[in-house]
Amino acid sequence: MNGTFLGMPAFPQAAARAVRDGQLRANLRHATHTIRDKRARAVAELPDWAELRAAGKAIKDHTLRHLDRYLVQLEESVTAAGGTVHWAADAEEANRIVAGLIRATGDSDIEKREVVKVKSMATQEIGLNEALAAEGITAYETDLAELIVQLGDDRPSHILVPAIHRNRAEIREIFADRMAAWGRPAPESLTDSPAELAEAARLHLREKFLRARVAVSGANFMVAETGTLVVVESEGNGRMCLTLPRTLISVVGIEKVVPTWRDLEVFLQLLPRSSTAERMNPYTSLWTGTTEDDGPSEFHLVLLDNGRTAALADQVGRQALRCIRCSACLNVCPVYERAGGHAYGSVYPGPIGAILNPQLRGTSSPVDASLPYASSLCGACYEVCPVAIDIPEVLVHLRERVAEQGGHPLERAAMAAAGYVLDHPAALAAAERLAGRTRALHPRRLPGPGRAWTDSRDLPEVPAEPFRDWWRRNRA
């Protein structure tokens, strides 16, 4: 498994369906505009935001250049603190490790068949819930938005707000229809009031928190010098998962490591303002190994590669590994606002998904080959990124990779012909004169693969006289 939503078409086809959904577009427009406006106000409060952003970029770049050293240091620190570190090269290995750890814990059969989860992009990336279900193990999502997605048999469509494509009425319907199948039913008098929806979720999850003996989490950051893991969240469900169960299993991408606590301080300022537009997260949970009679008695850290070292080898594309999953780029992207997250065919949607997915999964599938083109290259994503990922630069770089792997035969022939003409001035001058003399015969729309381009754009009119000839005549 590689995080691809099975059966998803390429981005253009998926987006074409999404833009015809008026309710989806209204939900996305309201949510993204609200979040990005709040973020802008929160960032404006800090006079040194540009310096913080530069510091975050520098720390991430330094860490990625020396990733091998800091990962070894992290393993040593976690082990010294009483934890156990496992290395997973891909999704299959990570899922096998986690399932084995769950089966090895618990005193009763039911304790070996269910876990509670903190919102984790990495576990969604590897399809952990589905892999555990195949082993007879149920994973209960405890983040409110993830719970909505799980109960609705849906897919996440946003990094920060996975159920952003749902409105309150739709959420109330999901709770009323599906909650009983997963445990405690929703109250019969449930309305779409946010307070009532949150209370219904709280009552539904409480028994699971108290009963579960195993929790699965991700982590926003890992501190190499002490082996400390960090989860930031807004609801308190993470704190419950990280403290109540006997066994805690954290699945984390290898790029999430930072060298020191001093480095962590920079990101604890950047992340909340860029994601939830808060000065600090309501819950910032940190744990280092295990402590007797306090929290889980067993801690396992699964370090996930799953394509990350391949991305690290790309000098242009590696900057995507700086990402701290704040989702600021999604909230300003005009393409995401209109197409939504499902069109990207992955748990990583939006601009960051358009550069991360093709690097983690390759560009051999139609979905991944189409993602570098899922952008207008307006640059808004780069302007708001708290670690200065130049997403437009990476998109163009990946488009080059896709083109080199081969596209439509006519497209390849056209590009080869254009390359020859542009490389030979005499041929270019002859082509310009021929185009000017035959301009009355030019079509208003391109045929074949170019048809999609001219469906919404006019072809520029060719002048009667090429500029080169005009310049030569007037200069004389």
Side-chain angles (χ1 to χ4, degrees):
M1 304 185 72
N2 57 9
T4 303
F5 291 155
L6 297 179
M8 286 295 294
F11 181 85
Q13 289 75 42
R17 287 205 304 263
V19 297
R20 291 193 293 268
D21 188 333
Q23 185 62 62
L24 172 66
R25 293 187 63 176
N27 295 348
L28 290 170
R29 182 169 57 251
H30 172 73
T32 56
H33 283 234
T34 300
I35 297 171
R36 77 190 192 195
D37 291 346
K38 289 175 60 180
R39 176 208 167 272
R41 291 193 295 270
V43 167
E45 293 178 351
L46 294 183
D48 63 341
W49 180 257
E51 289 78 7
L52 274 172
R53 185 177 187 241
K57 173 182 182 295
I59 292 168
K60 281 289 189 176
D61 283 345
H62 167 80
T63 307
L64 290 172
R65 281 196 301 270
H66 305 283
L67 190 58
D68 54 346
R69 170 158 58 94
Y70 288 119
L71 287 175
V72 170
Q73 183 184 11
L74 175 70
E75 180 183 34
E76 293 171 348
S77 300
V78 170
T79 303
T84 303
V85 177
H86 310 261
W87 299 81
D90 54 28
E92 182 179 358
E93 185 174 9
N95 289 332
R96 186 169 62 249
I97 291 170
V98 175
L101 292 172
I102 295 171
R103 286 196 299 268
T105 61
D107 299 324
S108 64
D109 185 51
I110 192 171
E111 291 176 359
K112 300 178 182 180
R113 289 192 288 108
E114 64 178 30
V115 299
V116 288
K117 283 186 63 193
V118 188
K119 181 175 180 288
S120 165
M121 303 294 296
T123 59
Q124 293 173 354
E125 173 190 329
I126 63 176
L128 179 63
N129 287 11
E130 294 79 5
L132 293 181
E135 298 283 341
I137 302 168
T138 301
Y140 295 108
E141 298 288 354
T142 64
D143 174 84
L144 178 56
E146 291 290 354
L147 175 65
I148 295 166
V149 169
Q150 185 176 53
L151 292 179
D153 193 23
D154 204 349
R155 296 164 172 165
S157 64
H158 192 276
I159 290 175
L160 179 67
V161 194
I164 195 173
H165 55 289
R166 298 289 192 183
N167 60 32
R168 295 185 309 179
E170 291 171 319
I171 295 168
R172 185 252 166 220
E173 185 176 346
I174 289 171
F175 279 13
D177 293 344
R178 302 299 302 276
M179 212 170 238
W182 289 79
R184 183 187 179 101
E188 292 184 3
S189 59
L190 182 67
T191 71
D192 64 359
S193 160
E196 289 193 28
L197 294 173
E199 180 64 14
R202 190 177 298 114
L203 295 174
H204 175 79
L205 291 171
R206 185 168 297 162
E207 63 182 22
K208 295 175 174 52
F209 285 132
L210 296 175
R211 187 176 65 214
R213 292 296 176 263
V214 180
V216 176
S217 83
N220 295 97
F221 308 102
M222 304 180 289
V223 183
E225 68 176 351
T226 59
T228 302
L229 273 70
V230 185
V231 164
V232 296
E233 40 114 5
S234 301
E235 300 172 17
N237 62 299
R239 187 70 55 85
M240 301 284 277
C241 290
L242 298 171
T243 55
L244 289 177
R246 297 175 187 170
T247 300
L248 173 60
I249 305 169
S250 298
V251 182
V252 190
I254 56 176
E255 81 281 12
K256 294 299 186 70
V257 65
V258 296
T260 67
W261 277 75
R262 187 173 183 177
D263 299 321
L264 175 65
E265 178 262 342
V266 172
F267 296 106
L268 291 183
Q269 294 183 72
L270 289 171
L271 180 55
R273 290 178 186 266
S274 290
S275 57
T276 54
E278 295 170 300
R279 296 181 180 92
M280 66 180 293
N281 293 95
Y283 294 90
T284 300
S285 300
L286 308 96
W287 69 99
T288 306
T290 59
T291 303
E292 188 175 356
D293 299 325
D294 183 15
S297 56
E298 288 188 39
F299 170 56
H300 297 270
L301 171 60
V302 181
L303 291 172
L304 178 68
D305 185 333
N306 205 37
R308 286 160 174 79
T309 53
L312 186 62
D314 188 324
Q315 293 187 1
V316 177
R318 70 175 58 155
Q319 58 185 298
L321 298 178
R322 291 187 213 139
C323 178
I324 57 175
R325 308 292 191 267
C326 70
S327 76
C329 62
L330 280 70
N331 300 324
V332 299
C333 178
V335 176
Y336 175 86
E337 181 185 326
R338 289 155 180 80
H342 292 157
Y344 293 81
S346 166
V347 297
Y348 300 118
I352 188 61
I355 65 171
L356 190 59
N357 295 322
Q359 295 193 83
L360 296 182
R361 308 186 308 208
T363 55
S364 58
S365 73
V367 175
D368 294 314
S370 69
L371 290 181
Y373 299 91
S375 171
S376 65
L377 300 181
C378 68
C381 49
Y382 172 63
E383 295 298 325
V384 299
C385 177
V387 287
I389 301 171
D390 193 341
I391 293 177
E393 178 188 33
V394 183
L395 285 168
V396 173
H397 172 67
L398 292 174
R399 290 179 184 185
E400 180 182 1
R401 181 189 299 179
V402 172
E404 288 175 349
Q405 290 179 350
H408 193 284
L410 290 178
E411 181 184 4
R412 292 200 300 272
M415 291 299 103
Y420 175 85
V421 170
L422 293 173
D423 199 38
H424 294 78
L428 176 60
E432 288 174 340
R433 294 189 187 101
L434 178 63
R437 292 167 184 165
T438 60
R439 62 182 187 144
L441 304 176
H442 294 176
R444 302 306 300 169
R445 297 180 63 187
L446 291 174
R451 180 179 296 275
W453 177 263
T454 51
D455 278 345
S456 57
R457 301 171 180 86
D458 291 330
L459 280 176
E461 186 175 346
V462 177
E465 181 181 26
F467 174 79
R468 293 166 182 264
D469 292 353
W470 178 92
W471 177 258
R472 187 179 299 110
R473 178 169 51 79
N474 283 275
R475 186 178 60 175

